[in-house]
PDB file of all heavy atoms in Angstrom:
ATOM      1  N   MET A   1      13.931 -45.141 -87.011  1.00 98.00           N
ATOM      2  CA  MET A   1      13.891 -44.233 -88.133  1.00 98.00           C
ATOM      3  C   MET A   1      14.779 -43.047 -87.818  1.00 98.00           C
ATOM      4  O   MET A   1      14.721 -42.511 -86.703  1.00 98.00           O
ATOM      5  CB  MET A   1      12.443 -43.760 -88.313  1.00 98.00           C
ATOM      6  CG  MET A   1      11.510 -44.712 -88.932  1.00 98.00           C
ATOM      7  SD  MET A   1      11.894 -45.067 -90.614  1.00 98.00           S
ATOM      8  CE  MET A   1      10.554 -46.162 -91.047  1.00 98.00           C
ATOM      9  N   LEU A   2      15.629 -42.635 -88.800  1.00 98.00           N
ATOM     10  CA  LEU A   2      16.638 -41.645 -88.552  1.00 98.00           C
ATOM     11  C   LEU A   2      16.755 -40.685 -89.704  1.00 98.00           C
ATOM     12  O   LEU A   2      16.684 -41.147 -90.926  1.00 98.00           O
ATOM     13  CB  LEU A   2      18.001 -42.339 -88.325  1.00 98.00           C
ATOM     14  CG  LEU A   2      19.215 -41.363 -88.270  1.00 98.00           C
ATOM     15  CD1 LEU A   2      19.219 -40.571 -86.973  1.00 98.00           C
ATOM     16  CD2 LEU A   2      20.488 -42.284 -88.301  1.00 98.00           C
ATOM     17  N   THR A   3      16.877 -39.439 -89.485  1.00 98.00           N
ATOM     18  CA  THR A   3      17.244 -38.476 -90.534  1.00 98.00           C
ATOM     19  C   THR A   3      18.356 -37.618 -90.051  1.00 98.00           C
ATOM     20  O   THR A   3      18.456 -37.204 -88.930  1.00 98.00           O
ATOM     21  CB  THR A   3      16.041 -37.579 -90.932  1.00 98.00           C
ATOM     22  OG1 THR A   3      16.473 -36.788 -92.054  1.00 98.00           O
ATOM     23  CG2 THR A   3      15.570 -36.684 -89.799  1.00 98.00           C
ATOM     24  N   LEU A   4      19.288 -37.401 -90.991  1.00 98.00           N
ATOM     25  CA  LEU A   4      20.421 -36.476 -90.797  1.00 98.00           C
ATOM     26  C   LEU A   4      20.254 -35.232 -91.739  1.00 98.00           C
ATOM     27  O   LEU A   4      21.170 -34.489 -91.941  1.00 98.00           O
ATOM     28  CB  LEU A   4      21.723 -37.183 -91.124  1.00 98.00           C
ATOM     29  CG  LEU A   4      21.971 -38.434 -90.296  1.00 98.00           C
ATOM     30  CD1 LEU A   4      23.126 -39.248 -90.928  1.00 98.00           C
ATOM     31  CD2 LEU A   4      22.257 -38.060 -88.860  1.00 98.00           C
ATOM     32  N   GLY A   5      19.029 -35.057 -92.260  1.00 97.00           N
ATOM     33  CA  GLY A   5      18.730 -33.915 -93.106  1.00 97.00           C
ATOM     34  C   GLY A   5      18.862 -34.216 -94.581  1.00 97.00           C
ATOM     35  O   GLY A   5      18.818 -33.324 -95.408  1.00 97.00           O
ATOM     36  N   ALA A   6      19.049 -35.476 -94.925  1.00 95.00           N
ATOM     37  CA  ALA A   6      19.192 -35.863 -96.355  1.00 95.00           C
ATOM     38  C   ALA A   6      18.426 -37.202 -96.615  1.00 95.00           C
ATOM     39  O   ALA A   6      19.029 -38.186 -96.998  1.00 95.00           O
ATOM     40  CB  ALA A   6      20.647 -36.026 -96.713  1.00 95.00           C
ATOM     41  N   GLY A   7      17.128 -37.180 -96.299  1.00 97.00           N
ATOM     42  CA  GLY A   7      16.349 -38.392 -96.405  1.00 97.00           C
ATOM     43  C   GLY A   7      16.144 -39.070 -95.060  1.00 97.00           C
ATOM     44  O   GLY A   7      16.709 -38.669 -94.070  1.00 97.00           O
ATOM     45  N   THR A   8      15.194 -40.084 -95.052  1.00 98.00           N
ATOM     46  CA  THR A   8      14.949 -40.816 -93.831  1.00 98.00           C
ATOM     47  C   THR A   8      15.359 -42.233 -94.051  1.00 98.00           C
ATOM     48  O   THR A   8      15.031 -42.879 -95.030  1.00 98.00           O
ATOM     49  CB  THR A   8      13.458 -40.726 -93.557  1.00 98.00           C
ATOM     50  OG1 THR A   8      13.063 -39.378 -93.238  1.00 98.00           O
ATOM     51  CG2 THR A   8      13.043 -41.584 -92.353  1.00 98.00           C
ATOM     52  N   TRP A   9      16.123 -42.740 -93.044  1.00 98.00           N
ATOM     53  CA  TRP A   9      16.678 -44.080 -93.061  1.00 98.00           C
ATOM     54  C   TRP A   9      15.917 -44.956 -92.038  1.00 98.00           C
ATOM     55  O   TRP A   9      15.502 -44.537 -90.979  1.00 98.00           O
ATOM     56  CB  TRP A   9      18.103 -44.113 -92.660  1.00 98.00           C
ATOM     57  CG  TRP A   9      19.040 -43.355 -93.566  1.00 98.00           C
ATOM     58  CD1 TRP A   9      18.788 -42.835 -94.817  1.00 98.00           C
ATOM     59  CD2 TRP A   9      20.416 -42.966 -93.286  1.00 98.00           C
ATOM     60  NE1 TRP A   9      19.833 -42.166 -95.341  1.00 98.00           N
ATOM     61  CE2 TRP A   9      20.911 -42.259 -94.437  1.00 98.00           C
ATOM     62  CE3 TRP A   9      21.291 -43.179 -92.234  1.00 98.00           C
ATOM     63  CZ2 TRP A   9      22.190 -41.733 -94.548  1.00 98.00           C
ATOM     64  CZ3 TRP A   9      22.563 -42.710 -92.337  1.00 98.00           C
ATOM     65  CH2 TRP A   9      23.002 -41.995 -93.431  1.00 98.00           C
ATOM     66  N   HIS A  10      15.734 -46.274 -92.460  1.00 98.00           N
ATOM     67  CA  HIS A  10      15.025 -47.236 -91.661  1.00 98.00           C
ATOM     68  C   HIS A  10      16.025 -48.346 -91.258  1.00 98.00           C
ATOM     69  O   HIS A  10      16.640 -48.900 -92.145  1.00 98.00           O
ATOM     70  CB  HIS A  10      13.845 -47.786 -92.387  1.00 98.00           C
ATOM     71  CG  HIS A  10      13.041 -48.847 -91.662  1.00 98.00           C
ATOM     72  ND1 HIS A  10      12.168 -49.685 -92.337  1.00 98.00           N
ATOM     73  CD2 HIS A  10      13.039 -49.270 -90.406  1.00 98.00           C
ATOM     74  CE1 HIS A  10      11.640 -50.494 -91.474  1.00 98.00           C
ATOM     75  NE2 HIS A  10      12.161 -50.300 -90.287  1.00 98.00           N
ATOM     76  N   PHE A  11      16.172 -48.581 -89.965  1.00 98.00           N
ATOM     77  CA  PHE A  11      17.019 -49.694 -89.457  1.00 98.00           C
ATOM     78  C   PHE A  11      16.259 -50.643 -88.599  1.00 98.00           C
ATOM     79  O   PHE A  11      15.244 -50.273 -88.052  1.00 98.00           O
ATOM     80  CB  PHE A  11      18.229 -49.070 -88.616  1.00 98.00           C
ATOM     81  CG  PHE A  11      19.136 -48.193 -89.389  1.00 98.00           C
ATOM     82  CD1 PHE A  11      18.818 -46.805 -89.555  1.00 98.00           C
ATOM     83  CD2 PHE A  11      20.282 -48.635 -89.926  1.00 98.00           C
ATOM     84  CE1 PHE A  11      19.701 -45.977 -90.204  1.00 98.00           C
ATOM     85  CE2 PHE A  11      21.141 -47.833 -90.588  1.00 98.00           C
ATOM     86  CZ  PHE A  11      20.853 -46.431 -90.764  1.00 98.00           C
ATOM     87  N   ALA A  12      16.781 -51.841 -88.467  1.00 98.00           N
ATOM     88  CA  ALA A  12      16.220 -52.814 -87.583  1.00 98.00           C
ATOM     89  C   ALA A  12      17.310 -53.396 -86.695  1.00 98.00           C
ATOM     90  O   ALA A  12      18.421 -53.527 -87.136  1.00 98.00           O
ATOM     91  CB  ALA A  12      15.514 -53.985 -88.372  1.00 98.00           C
ATOM     92  N   LEU A  13      16.988 -53.663 -85.418  1.00 97.00           N
ATOM     93  CA  LEU A  13      17.961 -54.218 -84.506  1.00 97.00           C
ATOM     94  C   LEU A  13      18.044 -55.704 -84.607  1.00 97.00           C
ATOM     95  O   LEU A  13      17.116 -56.402 -84.616  1.00 97.00           O
ATOM     96  CB  LEU A  13      17.495 -53.824 -83.073  1.00 97.00           C
ATOM     97  CG  LEU A  13      18.482 -54.096 -81.981  1.00 97.00           C
ATOM     98  CD1 LEU A  13      19.718 -53.206 -81.994  1.00 97.00           C
ATOM     99  CD2 LEU A  13      17.766 -53.929 -80.587  1.00 97.00           C
ATOM    100  N   ASP A  14      19.302 -56.224 -84.843  1.00 96.00           N
ATOM    101  CA  ASP A  14      19.534 -57.664 -84.961  1.00 96.00           C
ATOM    102  C   ASP A  14      19.740 -58.243 -83.583  1.00 96.00           C
ATOM    103  O   ASP A  14      19.826 -57.568 -82.561  1.00 96.00           O
ATOM    104  CB  ASP A  14      20.645 -57.984 -85.931  1.00 96.00           C
ATOM    105  CG  ASP A  14      22.043 -57.605 -85.442  1.00 96.00           C
ATOM    106  OD1 ASP A  14      22.207 -57.279 -84.271  1.00 96.00           O
ATOM    107  OD2 ASP A  14      22.963 -57.580 -86.289  1.00 96.00           O
ATOM    108  N   ARG A  15      19.866 -59.581 -83.557  1.00 93.00           N
ATOM    109  CA  ARG A  15      20.000 -60.284 -82.282  1.00 93.00           C
ATOM    110  C   ARG A  15      21.331 -59.921 -81.575  1.00 93.00           C
ATOM    111  O   ARG A  15      21.430 -60.138 -80.370  1.00 93.00           O
ATOM    112  CB  ARG A  15      19.955 -61.796 -82.531  1.00 93.00           C
ATOM    113  CG  ARG A  15      18.597 -62.266 -83.021  1.00 93.00           C
ATOM    114  CD  ARG A  15      17.557 -62.201 -81.896  1.00 93.00           C
ATOM    115  NE  ARG A  15      16.308 -62.811 -82.358  1.00 93.00           N
ATOM    116  CZ  ARG A  15      15.254 -62.911 -81.562  1.00 93.00           C
ATOM    117  NH1 ARG A  15      15.323 -62.430 -80.316  1.00 93.00           N
ATOM    118  NH2 ARG A  15      14.140 -63.457 -81.987  1.00 93.00           N
ATOM    119  N   ALA A  16      22.325 -59.471 -82.292  1.00 94.00           N
ATOM    120  CA  ALA A  16      23.583 -59.112 -81.721  1.00 94.00           C
ATOM    121  C   ALA A  16      23.618 -57.726 -81.145  1.00 94.00           C
ATOM    122  O   ALA A  16      24.601 -57.271 -80.549  1.00 94.00           O
ATOM    123  CB  ALA A  16      24.672 -59.299 -82.758  1.00 94.00           C
ATOM    124  N   GLY A  17      22.489 -56.981 -81.273  1.00 95.00           N
ATOM    125  CA  GLY A  17      22.390 -55.603 -80.743  1.00 95.00           C
ATOM    126  C   GLY A  17      22.892 -54.554 -81.710  1.00 95.00           C
ATOM    127  O   GLY A  17      23.180 -53.439 -81.272  1.00 95.00           O
ATOM    128  N   LEU A  18      22.940 -54.892 -82.973  1.00 97.00           N
ATOM    129  CA  LEU A  18      23.352 -53.909 -84.006  1.00 97.00           C
ATOM    130  C   LEU A  18      22.184 -53.442 -84.848  1.00 97.00           C
ATOM    131  O   LEU A  18      21.344 -54.289 -85.240  1.00 97.00           O
ATOM    132  CB  LEU A  18      24.403 -54.499 -84.934  1.00 97.00           C
ATOM    133  CG  LEU A  18      25.733 -54.971 -84.274  1.00 97.00           C
ATOM    134  CD1 LEU A  18      26.586 -55.687 -85.341  1.00 97.00           C
ATOM    135  CD2 LEU A  18      26.474 -53.792 -83.653  1.00 97.00           C
ATOM    136  N   PHE A  19      22.052 -52.165 -85.118  1.00 98.00           N
ATOM    137  CA  PHE A  19      21.039 -51.630 -86.029  1.00 98.00           C
ATOM    138  C   PHE A  19      21.542 -51.799 -87.450  1.00 98.00           C
ATOM    139  O   PHE A  19      22.639 -51.365 -87.770  1.00 98.00           O
ATOM    140  CB  PHE A  19      20.718 -50.206 -85.731  1.00 98.00           C
ATOM    141  CG  PHE A  19      19.878 -49.994 -84.511  1.00 98.00           C
ATOM    142  CD1 PHE A  19      20.339 -49.722 -83.272  1.00 98.00           C
ATOM    143  CD2 PHE A  19      18.430 -50.102 -84.653  1.00 98.00           C
ATOM    144  CE1 PHE A  19      19.587 -49.514 -82.154  1.00 98.00           C
ATOM    145  CE2 PHE A  19      17.645 -49.938 -83.554  1.00 98.00           C
ATOM    146  CZ  PHE A  19      18.183 -49.677 -82.286  1.00 98.00           C
ATOM    147  N   ARG A  20      20.755 -52.442 -88.303  1.00 97.00           N
ATOM    148  CA  ARG A  20      21.110 -52.738 -89.667  1.00 97.00           C
ATOM    149  C   ARG A  20      20.155 -52.089 -90.598  1.00 97.00           C
ATOM    150  O   ARG A  20      18.934 -52.049 -90.339  1.00 97.00           O
ATOM    151  CB  ARG A  20      21.246 -54.197 -89.951  1.00 97.00           C
ATOM    152  CG  ARG A  20      22.369 -54.906 -89.170  1.00 97.00           C
ATOM    153  CD  ARG A  20      22.531 -56.330 -89.601  1.00 97.00           C
ATOM    154  NE  ARG A  20      23.671 -56.961 -88.839  1.00 97.00           N
ATOM    155  CZ  ARG A  20      24.929 -56.901 -89.242  1.00 97.00           C
ATOM    156  NH1 ARG A  20      25.234 -56.305 -90.353  1.00 97.00           N
ATOM    157  NH2 ARG A  20      25.882 -57.508 -88.596  1.00 97.00           N
ATOM    158  N   LEU A  21      20.628 -51.604 -91.713  1.00 97.00           N
ATOM    159  CA  LEU A  21      19.879 -50.793 -92.675  1.00 97.00           C
ATOM    160  C   LEU A  21      18.758 -51.671 -93.340  1.00 97.00           C
ATOM    161  O   LEU A  21      19.095 -52.785 -93.836  1.00 97.00           O
ATOM    162  CB  LEU A  21      20.739 -50.182 -93.736  1.00 97.00           C
ATOM    163  CG  LEU A  21      20.027 -49.303 -94.747  1.00 97.00           C
ATOM    164  CD1 LEU A  21      19.510 -48.015 -94.092  1.00 97.00           C
ATOM    165  CD2 LEU A  21      20.991 -48.929 -95.907  1.00 97.00           C
ATOM    166  N   VAL A  22      17.542 -51.178 -93.336  1.00 97.00           N
ATOM    167  CA  VAL A  22      16.447 -51.740 -94.087  1.00 97.00           C
ATOM    168  C   VAL A  22      16.148 -50.918 -95.330  1.00 97.00           C
ATOM    169  O   VAL A  22      15.915 -51.555 -96.409  1.00 97.00           O
ATOM    170  CB  VAL A  22      15.171 -51.867 -93.174  1.00 97.00           C
ATOM    171  CG1 VAL A  22      14.036 -52.350 -93.961  1.00 97.00           C
ATOM    172  CG2 VAL A  22      15.498 -52.710 -91.949  1.00 97.00           C
ATOM    173  N   ASP A  23      16.095 -49.636 -95.237  1.00 97.00           N
ATOM    174  CA  ASP A  23      15.777 -48.771 -96.387  1.00 97.00           C
ATOM    175  C   ASP A  23      16.377 -47.401 -96.172  1.00 97.00           C
ATOM    176  O   ASP A  23      16.222 -46.749 -95.143  1.00 97.00           O
ATOM    177  CB  ASP A  23      14.199 -48.599 -96.402  1.00 97.00           C
ATOM    178  CG  ASP A  23      13.727 -47.859 -97.664  1.00 97.00           C
ATOM    179  OD1 ASP A  23      14.583 -47.371 -98.418  1.00 97.00           O
ATOM    180  OD2 ASP A  23      12.506 -47.804 -97.847  1.00 97.00           O
ATOM    181  N   ALA A  24      17.187 -46.961 -97.137  1.00 97.00           N
ATOM    182  CA  ALA A  24      17.856 -45.665 -97.093  1.00 97.00           C
ATOM    183  C   ALA A  24      17.140 -44.592 -97.812  1.00 97.00           C
ATOM    184  O   ALA A  24      17.607 -43.470 -97.948  1.00 97.00           O
ATOM    185  CB  ALA A  24      19.274 -45.815 -97.649  1.00 97.00           C
ATOM    186  N   ALA A  25      15.877 -44.859 -98.257  1.00 97.00           N
ATOM    187  CA  ALA A  25      15.115 -43.847 -98.954  1.00 97.00           C
ATOM    188  C   ALA A  25      13.635 -44.033 -98.637  1.00 97.00           C
ATOM    189  O   ALA A  25      12.810 -44.256 -99.539  1.00 97.00           O
ATOM    190  CB  ALA A  25      15.320 -43.991-100.444  1.00 97.00           C
ATOM    191  N   VAL A  26      13.256 -43.869 -97.396  1.00 98.00           N
ATOM    192  CA  VAL A  26      11.868 -44.084 -96.959  1.00 98.00           C
ATOM    193  C   VAL A  26      11.048 -42.944 -97.498  1.00 98.00           C
ATOM    194  O   VAL A  26      11.394 -41.842 -97.496  1.00 98.00           O
ATOM    195  CB  VAL A  26      11.784 -44.093 -95.408  1.00 98.00           C
ATOM    196  CG1 VAL A  26      10.345 -44.196 -94.973  1.00 98.00           C
ATOM    197  CG2 VAL A  26      12.641 -45.227 -94.806  1.00 98.00           C
ATOM    198  N   LYS A  27       9.843 -43.354 -98.065  1.00 98.00           N
ATOM    199  CA  LYS A  27       8.901 -42.360 -98.543  1.00 98.00           C
ATOM    200  C   LYS A  27       7.547 -42.641 -98.006  1.00 98.00           C
ATOM    201  O   LYS A  27       7.044 -43.819 -97.950  1.00 98.00           O
ATOM    202  CB  LYS A  27       8.835 -42.409-100.074  1.00 98.00           C
ATOM    203  CG  LYS A  27      10.152 -42.089-100.800  1.00 98.00           C
ATOM    204  CD  LYS A  27      10.628 -40.700-100.591  1.00 98.00           C
ATOM    205  CE  LYS A  27      11.957 -40.447-101.244  1.00 98.00           C
ATOM    206  NZ  LYS A  27      12.493 -39.092-100.935  1.00 98.00           N
ATOM    207  N   VAL A  28       6.837 -41.605 -97.535  1.00 98.00           N
ATOM    208  CA  VAL A  28       5.489 -41.771 -97.018  1.00 98.00           C
ATOM    209  C   VAL A  28       4.492 -41.770 -98.190  1.00 98.00           C
ATOM    210  O   VAL A  28       4.478 -40.830 -98.960  1.00 98.00           O
ATOM    211  CB  VAL A  28       5.158 -40.624 -96.119  1.00 98.00           C
ATOM    212  CG1 VAL A  28       3.700 -40.751 -95.595  1.00 98.00           C
ATOM    213  CG2 VAL A  28       6.071 -40.595 -94.905  1.00 98.00           C
ATOM    214  N   LYS A  29       3.774 -42.829 -98.363  1.00 97.00           N
ATOM    215  CA  LYS A  29       2.849 -42.961 -99.469  1.00 97.00           C
ATOM    216  C   LYS A  29       1.635 -41.996 -99.413  1.00 97.00           C
ATOM    217  O   LYS A  29       1.174 -41.679 -98.297  1.00 97.00           O
ATOM    218  CB  LYS A  29       2.291 -44.379 -99.507  1.00 97.00           C
ATOM    219  CG  LYS A  29       3.336 -45.519 -99.610  1.00 97.00           C
ATOM    220  CD  LYS A  29       2.701 -46.867 -99.617  1.00 97.00           C
ATOM    221  CE  LYS A  29       3.691 -48.006 -99.697  1.00 97.00           C
ATOM    222  NZ  LYS A  29       4.463 -48.106 -98.401  1.00 97.00           N
ATOM    223  N   GLU A  30       1.158 -41.560-100.537  1.00 97.00           N
ATOM    224  CA  GLU A  30      -0.070 -40.794-100.567  1.00 97.00           C
ATOM    225  C   GLU A  30      -1.193 -41.691-101.008  1.00 97.00           C
ATOM    226  O   GLU A  30      -1.010 -42.816-101.437  1.00 97.00           O
ATOM    227  CB  GLU A  30       0.092 -39.607-101.529  1.00 97.00           C
ATOM    228  CG  GLU A  30       1.160 -38.648-101.110  1.00 97.00           C
ATOM    229  CD  GLU A  30       1.158 -37.316-101.856  1.00 97.00           C
ATOM    230  OE1 GLU A  30       0.221 -37.115-102.685  1.00 97.00           O
ATOM    231  OE2 GLU A  30       2.000 -36.466-101.597  1.00 97.00           O
ATOM    232  N   GLY A  31      -2.413 -41.207-100.849  1.00 95.00           N
ATOM    233  CA  GLY A  31      -3.607 -41.944-101.244  1.00 95.00           C
ATOM    234  C   GLY A  31      -4.018 -43.002-100.279  1.00 95.00           C
ATOM    235  O   GLY A  31      -4.971 -43.821-100.590  1.00 95.00           O
ATOM    236  N   ALA A  32      -3.452 -43.060 -99.059  1.00 94.00           N
ATOM    237  CA  ALA A  32      -3.846 -44.028 -98.097  1.00 94.00           C
ATOM    238  C   ALA A  32      -5.216 -43.678 -97.491  1.00 94.00           C
ATOM    239  O   ALA A  32      -5.597 -42.529 -97.381  1.00 94.00           O
ATOM    240  CB  ALA A  32      -2.820 -44.121 -96.963  1.00 94.00           C
ATOM    241  N   ALA A  33      -5.958 -44.696 -97.043  1.00 95.00           N
ATOM    242  CA  ALA A  33      -7.255 -44.553 -96.472  1.00 95.00           C
ATOM    243  C   ALA A  33      -7.301 -44.883 -95.025  1.00 95.00           C
ATOM    244  O   ALA A  33      -8.158 -45.638 -94.550  1.00 95.00           O
ATOM    245  CB  ALA A  33      -8.313 -45.330 -97.267  1.00 95.00           C
ATOM    246  N   GLU A  34      -6.312 -44.374 -94.268  1.00 97.00           N
ATOM    247  CA  GLU A  34      -6.290 -44.610 -92.818  1.00 97.00           C
ATOM    248  C   GLU A  34      -6.011 -43.310 -92.080  1.00 97.00           C
ATOM    249  O   GLU A  34      -5.215 -42.507 -92.545  1.00 97.00           O
ATOM    250  CB  GLU A  34      -5.133 -45.615 -92.465  1.00 97.00           C
ATOM    251  CG  GLU A  34      -5.425 -47.053 -92.864  1.00 97.00           C
ATOM    252  CD  GLU A  34      -4.388 -47.971 -92.394  1.00 97.00           C
ATOM    253  OE1 GLU A  34      -3.239 -47.571 -92.064  1.00 97.00           O
ATOM    254  OE2 GLU A  34      -4.690 -49.180 -92.325  1.00 97.00           O
ATOM    255  N   PHE A  35      -6.734 -43.131 -90.947  1.00 97.00           N
ATOM    256  CA  PHE A  35      -6.401 -41.979 -90.113  1.00 97.00           C
ATOM    257  C   PHE A  35      -6.371 -42.407 -88.694  1.00 97.00           C
ATOM    258  O   PHE A  35      -7.023 -43.423 -88.293  1.00 97.00           O
ATOM    259  CB  PHE A  35      -7.493 -40.886 -90.361  1.00 97.00           C
ATOM    260  CG  PHE A  35      -8.846 -41.208 -89.875  1.00 97.00           C
ATOM    261  CD1 PHE A  35      -9.279 -40.809 -88.609  1.00 97.00           C
ATOM    262  CD2 PHE A  35      -9.758 -41.910 -90.671  1.00 97.00           C
ATOM    263  CE1 PHE A  35     -10.592 -41.106 -88.172  1.00 97.00           C
ATOM    264  CE2 PHE A  35     -11.006 -42.234 -90.216  1.00 97.00           C
ATOM    265  CZ  PHE A  35     -11.431 -41.850 -88.956  1.00 97.00           C
ATOM    266  N   ALA A  36      -5.565 -41.707 -87.889  1.00 98.00           N
ATOM    267  CA  ALA A  36      -5.392 -42.027 -86.514  1.00 98.00           C
ATOM    268  C   ALA A  36      -5.763 -40.845 -85.632  1.00 98.00           C
ATOM    269  O   ALA A  36      -5.200 -39.764 -85.766  1.00 98.00           O
ATOM    270  CB  ALA A  36      -3.917 -42.406 -86.221  1.00 98.00           C
TER     271      ALA A  36
END
């Protein structure tokens, strides 16, 4: 998970060792019923 100050980006590491984009506009959902 990465931010450069303009949203949060989600990447996943592939088998070749490269991080590839999964989502360029990650949003934390509201209304969830989980606490840690």
Side-chain angles (χ1 to χ4, degrees):
M1 286 291 183
L2 172 69
T3 183
L4 303 166
T8 295
W9 298 348
H10 177 194
F11 296 86
L13 188 67
D14 70 12
R15 294 290 186 176
L18 299 174
F19 282 95
R20 293 185 178 275
L21 183 67
V22 175
D23 186 353
V26 176
K27 300 295 180 187
V28 178
K29 302 178 182 69
E30 296 192 6
E34 288 186 339
F35 67 97

